[in-house]
């Protein structure tokens, strides 16, 4: 079920041309700290629910590795 939710979120994200342009991790990491805050991720269309699912270590940020599993 978790994989299905992630897949559906990714499809929704890709369907938006503006969001699709900003799905690259490095583009979303506007402060350049190597992690995505929830605010940065939301600019790429990642909802708070999806962010929580991807944040497997629950540190409030998405690493490049966590983001790549979206």
């Amino acid at each position: 079920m978790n994989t299905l939710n992630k897949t559906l979120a990714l499809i929704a994200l890709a369907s938006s041309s503006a969001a699709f342009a900003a799905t690259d991790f490095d583009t979303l990491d506007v402060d350049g700290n190597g992690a995505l805050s929830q605010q940065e991720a939301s600019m790429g269309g990642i909802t708070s629910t999806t962010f929580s699912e991807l944040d497997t270590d629950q540190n409030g940020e998405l690493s490049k590795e966590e983001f790549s599993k979206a």
Side-chain angles (χ1 to χ4, degrees), residues 45-57:
I46 296 173
T47 66
S48 59
T49 301
T50 302
F51 183 92
S52 294
E53 291 172 358
L54 294 173
D55 184 18
T56 55
D57 62 5

Side-chain angles (χ1 to χ4, degrees), residues 29-70:
D29 184 18
V30 293
D31 63 7
N33 71 343
L36 299 181
S37 66
Q38 190 164 0
Q39 183 178 4
E40 289 171 322
S42 71
M43 291 188 293
I46 296 173
T47 66
S48 59
T49 301
T50 302
F51 183 92
S52 294
E53 291 172 358
L54 294 173
D55 184 18
T56 55
D57 62 5
Q58 300 297 304
N59 69 347
E61 298 180 324
L62 295 182
S63 66
K64 201 170 223 178
E65 181 181 328
E66 289 170 325
F67 180 79
S68 71
K69 294 178 182 176

Side-chain angles (χ1 to χ4, degrees), residues 12-23:
L13 178 62
S15 68
S16 168
S17 61
F20 184 75
T23 57

